[in-house]
């Protein structure tokens, strides 16, 4: 694995991506590469460079110095590429089976070269197409449990944890989440984006003092609680999947944050898909299984590998578990509202072609998000999320 700091930044072209792939020595000399820019996310260039005969290839990802979703008027740090490659390498220490291999990174070009996952599909696209991904919740539950436990004060020497934390100070990307997830959708802000038919529902959120208080508490947790190294943007567009494999990608938002955040974002995006279709069960089952796998895996690690002298204290694990679920439910509510009326929507809802059906699904999303935030303290078991989901439909 190489890590270079030599070059001067310029955006990659397709021919530049091919030249880089050839230079890395991962392929036989003279490989007749094909290159396609395939980035459909909000922030980066992504090139798929491959040999059309063997189908073997690599992904070359480059951060742009601005947010692609908005344009050059929104400058954005290139350091996120280093955060991303460091996070992938750190996650690979604990769950190599669930992240792409990093072959090379160049800090000044903001480039990461990684394993080609083109045999898999982005989970959001698959869910929209009706796929169910039977192993997804097993894999994501394990991914979250192991990465959170081993990078926390329970799974790692507490001095080493603080040193690791220094590599993941990520103020600009955290600010995007602080603004776009926890603030702007709850006020009349220019980044918001919604159909006029939703105005009454949206204005009700802007004038809801009880909701504001609860979102402010959740935002404070996001700002201050450094439990573990979190992915920071674990929506279904950050996961490649098939019926047998799962790979988590794009951890450029990684930082030391609260235990419940990744779980909440994942739950939210499953719920957004469930709201967009008539067959809810596979999504609700994934939420429950993710939580059950997470809690069992985390508890087993706690039992066997905990470094904290208070680990065996009666009630501590239960308290961590309970608070993590409550926080995850609240974070999920914020993410659902943000993906419905804020910046960076999701295709699950926006792709509903029939306008009245789309508006109705979005109204339900706003109601569900609000309920999750306001009632999170009453959630003691994951099955209660299912009840809130169906109560939203019945209301
Ligand atoms: C300006 S970035 C908008 C969103 O894209 C990323 O995937 C994150 O979810 C971020 O909030
Ligand atoms: Mg992303």
């Amino acid at each position: 694995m190489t890590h270079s700091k030599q070059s001067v930044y310029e955006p990659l072209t397709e021919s530049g991506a091919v030249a880089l792939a050839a230079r890395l020595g991962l392929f036989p000399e003279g490989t007749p590469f094909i290159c396609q820019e395939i980035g459909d996310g909000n922030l980066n260039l992504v090139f798929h460079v491959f040999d059309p005969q063997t189908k073997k290839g690599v992904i070359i990802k480059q951060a742009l110095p601005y947010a692609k979703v908005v344009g050059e008027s929104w400058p954005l740090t290139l350091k996120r590429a280093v955060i991303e490659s460091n996070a992938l390498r750190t996650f690979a220490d604990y769950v190599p089976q669930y992240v792409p291999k990093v072959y090379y990174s160049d800090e000044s070009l903001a480039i990461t070269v990684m394993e080609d996952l083109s045999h898999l599909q982005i989970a959001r696209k698959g869910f929209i197409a009706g796929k169910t991904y039977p192993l997804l919740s097993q894999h994501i539950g394990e991914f979250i449990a192991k990465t959170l436990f081993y990078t926390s004060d329970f799974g790692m020497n507490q001095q080493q944890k603080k040193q690791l934390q220094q590599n993941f100070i990520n103020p600009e990307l955290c600010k995007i989440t602080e603004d776009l997830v926890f603030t702007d959708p709850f006020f009349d802000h220019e980044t918001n984006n919604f159909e006029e038919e939703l105005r009454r529902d949206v204005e009700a959120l802007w004038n809801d003092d009880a909701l504001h208080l609860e979102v402010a508490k959740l935002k404070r947790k996001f700002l201050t609680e450094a439990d573990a190294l979190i992915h920071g943007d674990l929506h279904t567009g950050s996961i490649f999947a098939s019926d047998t494999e799962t790979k988590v990608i794009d951890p450029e938002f990684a930082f030391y944050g609260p235990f419940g955040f990744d779980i909440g974002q994942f739950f939210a995006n499953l719920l957004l898909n469930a709201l967009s279709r008539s067959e809810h069960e596979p999504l609700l089952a994934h939420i429950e299984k993710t939580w059950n796998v997470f809690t069992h895996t985390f508890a087993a690690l706690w039992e066997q590998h905990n470094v904290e002298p208070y680990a065996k204290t009666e009630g501590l694990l239960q308290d961590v578990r309970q608070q993590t679920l409550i926080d995850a439910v609240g974070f999920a509510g914020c993410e659902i509202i943000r993906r419905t009326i804020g910046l960076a929507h999701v295709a699950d809802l926006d792709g509903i072609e029939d306008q009245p059906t789309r508006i109705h699904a979005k109204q339900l999303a706003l109601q569900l998000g609000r309920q999750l935030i306001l009632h999170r303290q009453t959630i003691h078991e994951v099955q209660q999320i299912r009840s809130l989901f169906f109560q939203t439909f019945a209301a």
Side-chain angles (χ1 to χ4, degrees):
M1 186 166 21
T2 325
H3 189 173
S4 157
K5 282 189 166 187
Q6 309 303 321
S7 332
V8 175
Y9 184 84
E10 57 178 23
L12 263 186
T13 57
E14 291 190 356
S15 58
V18 167
L20 174 58
R23 176 156 72 75
L24 292 178
L26 298 167
F27 298 90
E29 215 167 294
T31 298
F33 288 113
I34 288 186
C35 176
Q36 289 162 346
E37 205 283 306
I38 55 166
D40 63 353
N42 295 320
L43 300 176
N44 306 296
L45 292 174
V46 183
F47 297 92
H48 180 208
V49 184
F50 62 101
D51 177 341
Q53 281 151 12
T54 63
K55 309 280 185 242
K56 288 194 176 138
V58 288
I59 293 296
I60 302 183
K61 178 167 177 179
Q62 185 182 39
L64 288 164
Y66 54 87
K68 198 168 86 176
V69 67
V70 176
E72 295 189 32
S73 61
W74 187 333
L76 203 52
T77 178
L78 293 173
K79 280 196 195 132
R80 66 190 195 274
V82 181
I83 297 271
E84 173 165 343
S85 56
N86 284 341
L88 287 174
R89 286 169 173 140
T90 304
F91 294 153
D93 289 342
Y94 310 117
V95 281
Q97 68 276 38
Y98 299 137
V99 284
K101 285 188 196 71
V102 174
Y103 299 129
Y104 170 85
S105 57
D106 182 321
E107 185 171 343
S108 39
L109 282 176
I111 281 176
T112 308
V113 182
M114 62 191 118
E115 185 180 354
D116 179 7
L117 301 175
S118 53
H119 61 293
L120 306 176
Q121 186 180 28
I122 287 290
R124 185 185 306 289
K125 289 186 183 161
F127 278 131
I128 291 171
K131 293 232 170 93
T132 54
Y133 299 122
L135 295 180
L136 184 75
S137 33
Q138 174 72 39
H139 295 166
I140 294 296
E142 266 181 53
F143 170 86
I144 296 175
K146 290 185 178 169
T147 56
L148 293 189
F149 178 81
Y150 281 119
T151 62
S152 77
D153 287 303
F154 300 114
M156 170 177 273
N157 172 293
Q158 295 166 353
Q159 297 303 297
Q160 282 170 2
K161 177 210 162 192
K162 289 176 182 67
Q163 277 164 4
L164 182 63
Q165 193 175 353
Q166 293 179 71
N167 296 338
F168 294 100
I169 303 296
N170 198 359
E172 288 192 47
L173 281 279
C174 284
K175 178 158 169 51
I176 291 179
T177 306
E178 290 151 20
D179 290 346
L180 296 186
V181 177
F182 291 107
T183 312
D184 299 355
F186 301 95
F187 297 90
D188 185 1
H189 197 278
E190 63 187 5
T191 55
N192 290 329
N193 169 24
F194 55 87
E195 290 98 332
E196 213 36 50
E197 292 84 343
L198 291 171
R199 179 161 290 278
R200 263 184 49 182
D201 306 80
V202 174
E203 287 184 349
L205 297 181
W206 292 346
N207 293 313
D208 190 335
D209 291 341
L211 183 68
H212 280 193
L213 175 59
E214 297 310 315
V215 175
K217 290 180 193 171
L218 288 159
K219 180 178 177 183
R220 179 164 178 259
K221 277 179 176 284
F222 183 83
L223 285 162
T224 60
E225 290 188 3
D227 285 326
L229 179 64
I230 67 170
H231 178 285
D233 196 26
L234 192 55
H235 55 84
T236 47
S238 296
I239 300 170
F240 268 113
S242 72
D243 282 354
T244 54
E245 254 188 288
T246 304
K247 300 277 185 186
V248 172
I249 60 165
D250 274 5
E252 64 205 309
F253 285 75
F255 79 112
Y256 260 79
F259 277 145
F261 190 73
D262 286 347
I263 302 168
Q265 291 233 309
F266 184 56
F267 283 3
N269 283 271
L270 294 172
L271 289 167
L272 284 161
N273 186 265
L275 285 164
S276 74
R277 53 153 85 188
S278 51
E279 201 202 354
H280 313 303
E281 186 49 37
L283 289 308
L284 298 174
H286 271 319
I287 289 176
E288 288 162 8
K289 184 150 185 203
T290 302
W291 179 252
N292 292 333
V293 170
F294 167 74
T295 52
H296 286 125
T297 311
F298 195 90
L301 295 171
W302 181 285
E303 188 63 35
Q304 290 159 23
H305 300 291
N306 208 314
V307 299
E308 164 56 50
Y310 281 107
K312 300 271 187 264
T313 305
E314 185 66 29
L316 182 59
L317 174 60
Q318 288 75 5
D319 184 64
V320 170
R321 175 190 180 280
Q322 180 58 36
Q323 196 56 56
T324 301
L325 181 59
I326 290 171
D327 294 348
V329 168
F331 293 139
C334 297
E335 168 78 351
I336 287 175
I337 291 175
R338 156 290 162 99
R339 295 286 181 193
T340 308
I341 60 168
L343 190 92
H345 285 195
V346 289
D348 312 60
L349 293 182
D350 276 7
I352 301 173
E353 277 176 21
D354 180 65
Q355 206 240 16
T357 310
R358 186 176 65 252
I359 296 297
H360 182 60
K362 291 188 176 187
Q363 286 169 328
L364 292 180
L366 296 181
Q367 286 162 29
L368 178 60
R370 181 175 178 277
Q371 295 299 323
L372 291 168
I373 294 166
L374 290 179
H375 299 294
R376 69 190 188 285
Q377 301 285 358
T378 67
I379 305 285
H380 302 296
E381 298 300 334
V382 70
Q383 292 82 354
Q384 290 173 264
I385 297 175
R386 174 187 292 265
S387 312
L388 270 184
F389 181 85
F390 285 116
Q391 279 166 28
T392 305
F393 273 94

